[in-house]
Amino acid sequence: MEYEEYKSVECYRGHEFGISSVVFDYQEELLWSSTYGGHVTSFWGTELNKYTAFQAHNASVRQLQPTLHGVITITDRELRYSTRTGLPILQIGNIPALEEMQALLYHSENALLIGCLNKKLVTVDLAFGSITGEMDTRSGICLLKASDQYICCGDVGGQVSLLDPMSLKTVHSYSAHTASLCDMEVVGHYIVTCGFSQQFGQLCVDDHIQVFDVRANRLLAPSAVTCSIHPMLLKGLTAFAPEVLAVSDSGEFQVVNLRGLVTPTTMCVRRVEMDEAVVCAVDVSPSQQCLAFGDSAGVVHLWKAEGDAVLNHNALPSIFADGVESAPYLSLDDASSGSVSLAAVPTSYCSNGRLLSDWPAANSKFKRRRPPRTFDPRLFSQMKVSQSVGFVPRPPNMKHNQVPYDLVGEDEPESPMMREENVLSSIPKKYRQVEMKYTKLGVEYFDFAYYNDTEFAGLEIHIPNAYCNSMLQVLYFLEPIRCGMQNHLCARDVCLACELGFLFRMLDRAKGRNCQATNFLRAFRTLKDVGPLGLLISSEEEELSANLGKLIQKWNRFVLQQLNQEMQQHPSIPLDENTPSDSMIERLFGCQVKTHTCCQCGLKTERTSTELLFSLCYPHTAGSSHKRHSFGSVLEYSICKCQQTHAWCDNCGKYMATTQQKALCTLPNVLSLNCQVENELDREFWKFQQTEREGGGWVPLSMEVTISDDKALNIIEYRHTRSNEHSAASSQKTATYDLQMVVGYVKEQWIGGSGNLIVHIRVGPANHMRKGQEPKTQWYLFNDFVISPIEESSAAVFPLEWLTPCILIYIQRGCEQNFDTTITVKCAEAVLIAETHGPRSVHSPATFAPLTISEHLEKGDLVGIDAEFVTVNQEEAEVKCDGTHTTLKPSQMSVARITVVRGKGPLEGTPFIDDYIESSEQVVDYLTEFSGIKPGDLDVAVSSKHLTTLKATYLKLLYLLEVGVKFVGHGLKKDFRVINILIPPENVLDTVELFHLPKQRLISLRFLAWFFLGIRIQEDTHDSSEDARTALQLYHRYQELESENKITESLHRLYETGRNYNWVIPDKGVSH
């Protein structure tokens, strides 16, 4: 029989979960389907008209079986018997005997046989809804079929057992496949199976089917029944000419004759057309005229024989829903003439519902008009009136096309960047992750200022592995760390401590402006241990599935150890006589811990180690999750925990069971705690401890810790920050700790994605004064670049539904007095005169002349600068059906060349810095047309350029910044952003802004050079030396025009010329 594809239809919510089974009904003209989400859908006739659709379970339906009176469905823990209209008849669940159900067989009229993966075979009486029998099996059961003589039982180990239908005892068994079974079918006296086998240590689908002849009690040779596909599903066609339908997961199917006969039908391989889906289920109709396939995309495909086909020749009539009575026809002409009353038209009325007249008066309250902004009366003196409309120039302090309203007593309107947020989310708005909407102008034109009204700097999130922004803020607001990292400058090419110092310098200078940790994260990615430790997120799939809560705790432990190692092994370069050389990480976070080890043989040893942080452990004994525990008792249990482990014993010469007991010898200045809330037990523990407590908080804001003479910890908790007069004097044995930082993981359990990390930070008076504010103590929420003040009462409260605690930072009161918090290290002029970090290439031509000792730079001196870049990550964008282009993730640029030219003296315009930057990442686009960088220029092995490290060149720019020179260039906003350095606006002279009229386009350096200087640049390619020198000349020309009071006139003439030439420089010989 030849089949052809006839119709495809999607199941109820099938696109969300995929089809788990399709079964034809042997009683009525119906086709049943189920999904992995617990939904059941039936279709009537070959046209697949929807008959019923209902939610049978909340879990995946593993098998579906129509019966005389209804349909049976099973999940791993629940059985349901429903009518064909979806009404429940019987429901059984949460019974130990019916766990891990996998297969069912309708044994007789009311008897149901269920095979379970927990090695059970259970008999259920449908009439009474009870279990009537239970039998243990050798392995988990995955398939059940019935033949004329036996019940065929297939298990997960590839074994097929033939059971007596009455006693359910095994009569015969054989090994069908070496690994596992995929499917099993009974056709006449043949048992047909397909499955997996082990090949070279891997699980592979067998390219043949196994056929067992029940009459001869033997397996047929695999070569006797071959397939042209790799079968995953089987279905018998007819018992008279034994054939089976073999189907692969890719949609290919073939009719196989079990007697080895080759016919045109068996030689043909057909395929179900699917869009990147796989076949999950197949069935053959009772009439043998139709085939049904279900795929992972939730679509049922029907194939039928030629001509008129039916599903079931002997189908009983199906019950359909009653039709809806229509209202009697009423002519409008009759109604208008008055012969028919409109009251005769029936209207629906719900007697128990509410009418519009029940509308509450509170919802009809008049809302006052929001008055527009009042303008300065002096503006009206400049107003020009044209056709009764007045025009006035926009003030500099007023944003373009934005007029704020007086919002006194009203809620703040939503940000236009956040209008598509999930309104059903229980996460407060300020805690949610802000989705950055990029424009064609790039990241630098994103309105970061909207999300930060403070003087503190936020960190951007569009950089790979920016999940650690919260911990970078933690380290910055630890005053000894902030000053110590800026006092650290070493000779290593890659040093996290140096990069942290550079980042903290930017955060110090940024007053409310956002920063980015590009260079720090680039150095972090190059460390050899971060990959094996799983600290890198290298793809979008990993980013969506990453558990950021666990990741940031591993990051905390690794970075503290790395910084401690770097500051011990690589002290600072003596660029200044006051440069400190000791490591303060161990002094700040470290504490002495003594470990007592007792072997089973009686050998006792002791060793003392330094711990930089501790991980909380929770007492998960019987009933402990619902028992009150103080935070101090959990902390003591975590630090001084006694545990059993296997360790090497020198006395026994082998690994032995040992008992380890830890004791705290000294108290750290900063107590860093990883919360380790990793499973549901831990979450339930935190939930219970927070209930019925004052303010819902379990974590104390202050605590007094004392080490007793017997090395035990005595902890007194305080729910509010304790005042100094009530604090104990600090020592190595007693100290008062205040909660300073709290890192949390924001993610709702029912929403996909990776969530985001936030941190609550208690900012003291010194940090406010450094930003030019009044001295005060205030808690702030740092959510990447979203910064807002919060109340102290909410700083240590965790709604576990969406906020999971990750890291707690306690600071010993008065510990900052033990550290020198003055920044003494500054870059010396030697970084410009002599190459502290020498060139990486062996043969590099002299494209610049370093500064001599006599060329001393001073504050206010001019230097020209330009930078060239390469692309390390391409932009990710989508083009919608209407042609609009949306940027999903901007391209990632890396600086490739930096050139700085002199702005005065006899060598004015000559570069004193012209460094090519060695690339530690793979370059995907050199942008040669715009950058002049060619493949090989950044390769140490083959480059002929003056190749150096980014850190070496960064130190040179840092020295220029600290001296106070003024940087002249074109488009410097993007240049400094990619270099990852923050230059104060008063130190930047950007020609793209100087030669610009409001509300007009920005003009290229090439066009400006032609118009104002009469020279042609960038003829063949870009050269940073030429661009920096040209920008410097343009600035001098700007000064001349300014002294002549011709700036406005020249700019208008510039734009007029540009429009005339369409902003394209004309051929040589044509003047403007």
Side-chain angles (χ1 to χ4, degrees):
M1 188 178 296
E2 294 291 332
Y3 297 95
E4 60 183 6
E5 189 166 5
Y6 181 64
K7 194 163 188 178
S8 298
V9 64
E10 183 177 334
C11 291
Y12 172 60
R13 298 189 69 179
H15 65 282
E16 298 180 37
F17 302 101
I19 303 294
S20 62
S21 62
V22 289
V23 181
F24 285 98
D25 199 321
Y26 273 69
Q27 306 296 326
E28 299 183 13
E29 187 80 355
L30 295 175
L31 170 63
W32 293 88
S33 68
S34 62
T35 70
Y36 288 103
H39 307 91
V40 175
T41 309
S42 62
F43 304 95
W44 189 88
T46 56
E47 294 300 320
L48 298 184
N49 297 314
K50 184 179 289 187
Y51 183 70
T52 52
F54 56 93
Q55 176 90 37
H57 307 276
N58 292 322
S60 170
V61 176
R62 297 196 171 182
Q63 193 168 339
L64 181 148
Q65 178 64 56
T67 66
L68 179 62
H69 303 291
V71 58
I72 304 171
T73 53
I74 62 170
T75 66
D76 58 340
R77 294 179 179 273
E78 188 179 58
L79 180 146
R80 172 172 166 147
Y81 190 20
S82 311
T83 65
R84 283 178 170 81
T85 56
L87 298 177
I89 301 174
L90 174 68
Q91 195 158 354
I92 306 174
N94 297 323
I95 298 178
L98 294 179
E99 291 185 351
E100 298 185 75
M101 291 185 286
Q102 181 65 27
L104 69 87
L105 180 65
Y106 194 57
H107 191 30
S108 60
E109 183 177 357
N110 288 321
L112 192 66
L113 201 61
I114 299 178
C116 306
L117 295 177
N118 61 355
K119 302 180 183 180
K120 297 283 185 182
L121 189 62
V122 183
T123 306
V124 177
D125 191 336
L126 291 178
F128 298 95
S130 60
I131 297 175
T132 58
E134 182 176 344
M135 184 181 72
D136 293 329
T137 59
R138 181 171 50 186
S139 183
I141 299 173
C142 59
L143 295 165
L144 284 174
K145 299 288 181 180
S147 69
D148 295 338
Q149 299 177 343
Y150 304 108
I151 292 175
C152 307
C153 176
D155 62 29
V156 295
Q159 193 88 1
V160 177
S161 301
L162 307 183
L163 310 182
D164 186 293
M166 301 300 295
S167 63
L168 297 182
K169 292 183 179 180
T170 302
V171 178
H172 181 74
S173 63
Y174 67 96
S175 179
H177 299 271
T178 59
S180 181
L181 292 176
C182 287
D183 203 358
M184 178 174 64
E185 184 67 4
V186 175
V187 183
H189 54 83
Y190 295 110
I191 301 174
V192 189
T193 59
C194 61
F196 297 91
S197 62
Q198 290 282 352
Q199 296 182 13
F200 305 105
Q202 296 183 349
L203 210 62
C204 301
V205 181
D206 289 332
D207 58 356
H208 61 273
I209 60 176
Q210 292 280 24
V211 182
F212 183 86
D213 192 337
V214 177
R215 294 182 303 178
N217 201 21
R218 66 179 179 86
L219 274 170
L220 301 184
S223 59
V225 185
T226 58
C227 296
S228 301
I229 62 175
H230 289 74
M232 295 284 286
L233 299 168
L234 299 171
K235 215 66 189 175
L237 288 177
T238 174
F240 300 101
E243 293 179 339
V244 68
L245 181 71
V247 186
S248 71
D249 59 349
S250 61
E252 297 176 333
F253 65 90
Q254 176 186 8
V255 177
V256 180
N257 189 288
L258 300 182
R259 294 173 181 170
L261 299 178
V262 179
T263 64
T265 302
T266 60
M267 294 176 62
C268 181
V269 176
R270 308 292 294 275
R271 189 178 189 279
V272 182
E273 293 298 329
M274 301 175 293
D275 295 332
E276 300 180 358
V278 297
V279 174
C280 301
V282 65
D283 199 15
V284 180
S285 68
S287 65
Q288 304 282 311
Q289 295 178 352
C290 296
L291 309 177
F293 303 88
D295 65 23
S296 60
V299 179
V300 174
H301 306 269
L302 183 70
W303 288 56
K304 73 178 188 68
E306 299 177 353
D308 295 331
V310 295
L311 305 184
N312 191 346
H313 289 299
N314 303 312
L316 298 175
S318 301
I319 300 175
F320 292 91
D322 295 333
V324 179
E325 291 185 7
S326 59
Y329 175 76
L330 177 65
S331 173
L332 292 178
D333 295 334
D334 295 339
S336 60
S337 63
S339 59
V340 177
S341 172
L342 293 178
V345 180
T347 60
S348 60
Y349 171 69
C350 183
S351 60
N352 59 353
R354 302 182 67 183
L355 302 178
L356 185 60
S357 57
D358 297 326
W359 186 267
N363 293 353
S364 303
K365 184 178 179 181
F366 173 74
K367 194 172 184 179
R368 67 180 180 86
R369 181 183 66 87
R370 295 187 297 186
R373 178 183 179 182
T374 57
F375 295 95
D376 190 342
R378 290 175 295 180
L379 290 175
F380 296 101
S381 61
Q382 309 174 30
M383 186 171 63
K384 298 179 181 179
V385 180
S386 175
Q387 296 181 358
S388 71
V389 178
F391 298 89
V392 66
R394 178 171 57 89
N397 60 349
M398 186 175 175
K399 294 184 177 180
H400 182 59
N401 288 339
Q402 297 183 29
V403 179
Y405 284 94
D406 181 14
L407 299 175
V408 177
E410 299 187 12
D411 294 333
E412 182 180 356
E414 270 193 0
S415 161
M417 307 296 179
M418 303 175 70
R419 287 176 181 167
E420 298 180 1
E421 290 179 350
N422 186 1
V423 296
L424 300 178
S425 174
S426 61
I427 304 175
K429 180 179 175 182
K430 59 186 176 183
Y431 283 86
R432 302 177 196 172
Q433 185 176 21
V434 179
E435 180 184 357
M436 295 180 63
K437 305 269 185 188
Y438 305 104
T439 66
K440 63 181 180 180
L441 299 177
V443 182
E444 52 267 25
Y445 288 90
F446 183 83
D447 187 14
F448 290 102
Y450 176 86
Y451 303 96
N452 182 13
D453 291 332
T454 71
E455 291 296 316
F456 302 107
L459 292 172
E460 298 175 14
I461 59 175
H462 66 281
I463 314 165
N465 299 288
Y467 68 88
C468 61
N469 283 347
S470 57
M471 278 306 299
L472 293 177
Q473 294 282 15
V474 166
L475 296 176
Y476 173 72
F477 281 98
L478 289 173
E479 190 68 9
I481 295 291
R482 184 187 72 85
C483 301
M485 293 300 109
Q486 296 188 54
N487 282 329
H488 176 84
L489 283 176
C490 68
R492 296 186 68 198
D493 291 338
V494 178
C495 175
L496 284 191
C498 290
E499 296 297 342
L500 269 183
F502 299 152
L503 175 62
F504 292 167
R505 283 177 167 87
M506 285 197 296
L507 295 176
D508 277 349
R509 289 191 297 270
K511 294 186 177 180
R513 297 169 60 187
N514 58 289
C515 298
Q516 52 181 344
T518 308
N519 291 351
F520 172 83
L521 292 174
R522 182 179 289 113
F524 177 73
R525 291 193 296 269
T526 59
L527 298 178
K528 63 178 182 179
D529 294 330
V530 296
L533 290 175
L535 297 175
L536 294 181
I537 300 177
S538 55
S539 65
E540 186 176 356
E541 291 76 12
E542 291 182 11
E543 184 176 357
L544 293 175
S545 61
N547 186 329
L548 299 183
K550 293 182 180 179
L551 202 59
I552 197 63
Q553 294 177 71
K554 291 198 298 183
W555 189 95
N556 183 29
R557 183 178 297 275
F558 170 78
V559 168
L560 287 182
Q561 294 173 349
Q562 180 71 20
L563 292 176
N564 186 44
Q565 179 183 352
E566 289 179 354
M567 299 190 74
Q568 286 179 347
Q569 298 179 359
H570 306 280
S572 299
I573 304 174
L575 297 178
D576 191 277
E577 61 273 9
N578 297 321
T579 302
S581 60
D582 59 338
S583 167
M584 109 277 287
I585 297 295
E586 187 172 331
R587 291 172 51 206
L588 192 64
F589 291 90
C591 61
Q592 299 297 315
V593 176
K594 184 172 290 187
T595 304
H596 302 269
T597 304
C598 181
C599 182
Q600 196 174 17
C601 66
L603 178 66
K604 296 182 179 180
T605 57
E606 291 184 1
R607 63 180 179 88
T608 302
S609 60
T610 300
E611 296 288 344
L612 298 179
L613 58 83
F614 296 97
S615 297
L616 294 182
C617 301
Y618 306 103
H620 291 317
T621 56
S624 62
S625 295
H626 293 81
K627 180 182 177 182
R628 294 292 179 193
H629 295 270
S630 66
F631 181 82
S633 64
V634 173
L635 179 58
E636 180 183 7
Y637 172 75
S638 304
I639 296 176
C640 306
K641 185 178 180 181
C642 180
Q643 59 183 0
Q644 303 288 332
T645 184
H646 274 72
W648 179 262
C649 178
D650 294 331
N651 188 29
C652 302
K654 58 181 179 180
Y655 284 94
M656 294 292 293
T658 58
T659 302
Q660 290 185 351
Q661 174 73 54
K662 291 186 176 182
L664 202 60
C665 300
T666 59
L667 294 174
N669 290 298
V670 174
L671 180 60
S672 180
L673 302 174
N674 282 350
C675 294
Q676 297 286 105
V677 182
E678 296 182 346
N679 51 51
E680 197 59 35
L681 281 177
D682 297 339
R683 300 178 68 86
E684 289 298 326
F685 181 87
W686 271 80
K687 282 183 181 179
F688 184 78
Q689 302 307 321
Q690 289 191 130
T691 56
E692 300 181 6
R693 292 186 184 268
E694 181 184 355
W698 177 55
V699 177
L701 295 181
S702 294
M703 58 183 180
E704 189 175 299
V705 182
T706 303
I707 303 177
S708 62
D709 295 336
D710 57 354
K711 302 300 182 183
L713 286 181
N714 298 322
I715 301 176
I716 303 175
E717 303 178 20
Y718 302 98
R719 295 295 147 198
H720 302 282
T721 305
R722 206 178 184 210
S723 59
N724 285 324
E725 56 267 19
H726 296 98
S727 303
S730 298
S731 65
Q732 288 190 338
K733 300 296 183 180
T734 302
T736 299
Y737 287 93
D738 294 325
L739 183 64
Q740 198 77 4
M741 291 96 172
V742 177
V743 179
Y745 179 32
V746 178
K747 183 181 184 299
E748 286 182 310
Q749 301 301 312
W750 58 279
I751 294 181
S754 60
N756 59 293
L757 292 166
I758 59 94
V759 58
H760 296 158
I761 299 180
R762 182 172 177 261
V763 181
N767 286 294
H768 283 97
M769 292 174 64
R770 193 169 62 250
K771 296 294 183 179
Q773 296 178 313
E774 292 294 325
K776 62 178 179 178
T777 299
Q778 173 68 51
W779 281 90
Y780 288 93
L781 163 68
F782 287 79
N783 181 8
D784 294 318
F785 53 82
V786 182
I787 305 176
S788 56
I790 60 172
E791 297 295 329
E792 183 184 65
S793 57
S794 62
V797 177
F798 302 94
L800 272 297
E801 295 78 13
W802 55 269
L803 181 60
T804 304
C806 297
I807 299 171
L808 305 176
I809 303 292
Y810 283 90
I811 295 184
Q812 187 180 136
R813 191 167 296 178
C815 73
E816 294 181 357
Q817 300 174 2
N818 303 326
F819 297 88
D820 183 8
T821 55
T822 57
I823 301 173
T824 58
V825 171
K826 295 184 179 295
C827 291
E829 193 175 12
V831 297
L832 294 179
I833 298 175
E835 286 282 341
T836 305
H837 298 68
R840 311 285 287 185
S841 53
V842 179
H843 304 289
S844 55
T847 58
F848 66 99
L851 290 179
T852 61
I853 298 178
S854 59
E855 293 180 291
H856 182 68
L857 293 175
E858 297 177 350
K859 183 177 181 180
D861 286 348
L862 298 180
V863 295
I865 185 172
D866 189 64
E868 307 293 353
F869 311 106
V870 293
T871 303
V872 293
N873 280 323
Q874 293 284 16
E875 176 189 88
E876 297 180 15
E878 65 176 1
V879 180
K880 298 182 179 179
C881 57
D882 58 357
T884 58
H885 181 279
T886 303
T887 302
L888 302 178
K889 186 178 291 186
S891 61
Q892 294 293 324
M893 313 290 287
S894 179
V895 61
R897 184 184 180 187
I898 297 176
T899 303
V900 184
V901 302
R902 294 168 170 84
K904 66 177 183 178
L907 295 178
E908 180 180 346
T910 303
F912 61 92
I913 298 175
D914 190 15
D915 293 346
Y916 286 76
I917 311 301
E918 177 190 357
S919 177
S920 58
E921 298 176 296
Q922 182 180 0
V923 178
V924 298
D925 192 351
Y926 284 90
L927 305 173
T928 304
E929 180 182 356
F930 307 102
S931 67
I933 307 297
K934 300 177 181 178
D937 286 351
L938 309 182
D939 189 346
V940 179
V942 299
S943 178
S944 61
K945 309 298 183 181
H946 184 268
L947 197 62
T948 183
T949 63
L950 177 60
K951 180 179 177 181
T953 306
Y954 196 93
L955 285 173
K956 300 175 185 179
L957 297 181
L958 198 60
Y959 169 75
L960 297 177
L961 172 62
E962 292 175 351
V963 168
V965 302
K966 292 190 175 182
F967 295 91
V968 182
H970 191 83
L972 291 182
K973 186 175 183 180
K974 182 176 181 180
D975 289 7
F976 291 143
R977 181 182 184 85
V978 179
I979 297 172
N980 199 204
I981 190 170
L982 190 67
I983 307 295
E986 59 271 16
N987 286 34
V988 178
L989 300 170
D990 197 337
T991 54
V992 79
E993 300 292 342
L994 295 177
F995 296 96
H996 175 240
L997 287 177
K999 301 181 183 180
Q1000 300 292 330
R1001 62 169 288 167
L1002 301 176
I1003 304 176
S1004 67
L1005 180 66
R1006 187 166 182 256
F1007 197 89
L1008 291 175
W1010 171 77
F1011 185 86
F1012 285 107
L1013 304 179
I1015 60 176
R1016 295 173 179 265
I1017 63 172
Q1018 304 171 356
E1019 289 291 323
D1020 298 324
T1021 184
H1022 285 240
D1023 182 86
S1024 57
S1025 298
E1026 181 183 50
D1027 292 351
R1029 185 165 45 250
T1030 303
L1032 196 61
Q1033 294 173 0
L1034 279 172
Y1035 177 68
H1036 291 322
R1037 178 59 179 155
Y1038 180 86
Q1039 289 178 311
E1040 294 174 3
L1041 294 173
E1042 189 177 35
S1043 62
E1044 299 170 1
N1045 199 20
K1046 295 182 179 180
I1047 291 293
T1048 304
E1049 176 188 348
S1050 300
L1051 290 181
H1052 282 289
R1053 191 162 53 89
L1054 166 68
Y1055 276 91
E1056 182 181 356
T1057 303
R1059 285 189 286 269
N1060 292 336
Y1061 288 109
N1062 199 21
W1063 301 104
V1064 177
I1065 297 176
D1067 296 333
K1068 293 181 178 180
V1070 179
S1071 63
H1072 55 82

